[in-house]
Amino acid sequence: MAACARRVSAELSHEQDRMQIAAKAITPGWVPGQHNASPQRAASAALGAQLAQLESLAADAQSPVAKLTALAAKRAAWLTAQSQALTNLKAGLSGALYRVSATGTPSDIAAALLSGLPSYEQPHSAAVLLVSDQPLTFFEELLP
């Protein structure tokens, strides 16, 4: 009789418990969409890449500092060669050079142009007009 009473009370409580929603766990073991199947794969890939770079640096005959020093010396030699070539180009120019540089209002520029032009006796003349809202420092350094 006691077994029958226990079974009936279990059936009644089962009917009620079945319709209730269980409370969520405080610390769920798995969150959908954030599961990492292989947590060590990314770490081992990063360590492998770092190890490969260190082995490459260790196997090289020159250190990165020595390579950068050589590159800086090569760049300094190139800049010296370019400066010398520009100096030789300036020295090789012959003849008269008329240069007019003017800034300001259009009337000021017109007056500077009229006062700085070569006379009509010059058989070979060429005129170049460069206009810019920024200073033309390259041309000012190039021409004497």
Side-chain angles (χ1 to χ4, degrees):
M1 181 128 179
C4 185
R6 278 194 313 254
R7 186 170 181 162
V8 169
S9 66
E11 283 285 331
L12 288 175
S13 66
H14 179 67
E15 287 292 327
Q16 292 172 354
D17 293 344
R18 186 172 58 166
M19 300 305 289
Q20 293 178 356
I21 298 174
K24 291 184 178 180
I26 295 173
T27 56
W30 181 74
V31 178
Q34 296 181 0
H35 181 65
N36 190 359
S38 57
Q40 293 180 344
R41 184 179 297 162
S44 65
L47 287 173
Q50 189 175 14
L51 182 64
Q53 186 167 7
L54 289 173
E55 287 176 350
S56 167
L57 288 173
D60 199 0
Q62 288 184 330
S63 70
V65 174
K67 287 182 180 179
L68 287 175
T69 305
L71 182 64
K74 184 177 177 182
R75 183 175 183 269
W78 182 81
L79 287 173
T80 304
Q82 294 301 315
S83 176
Q84 185 62 37
L86 183 61
T87 305
N88 292 343
L89 178 67
K90 285 182 180 179
L93 296 176
S94 62
L97 178 65
Y98 296 96
R99 174 180 165 249
V100 177
S101 177
T103 58
T105 63
S107 60
D108 294 339
I109 295 172
L113 283 175
L114 289 175
S115 66
L117 292 177
S119 63
Y120 66 91
E121 291 94 11
Q122 301 296 326
H124 304 288
S125 296
V128 176
L129 177 65
L130 302 173
V131 180
S132 174
D133 59 345
Q134 300 293 325
L136 298 171
T137 56
F138 174 75
F139 291 107
E140 291 173 1
E141 292 174 3
L142 182 64
L143 300 174

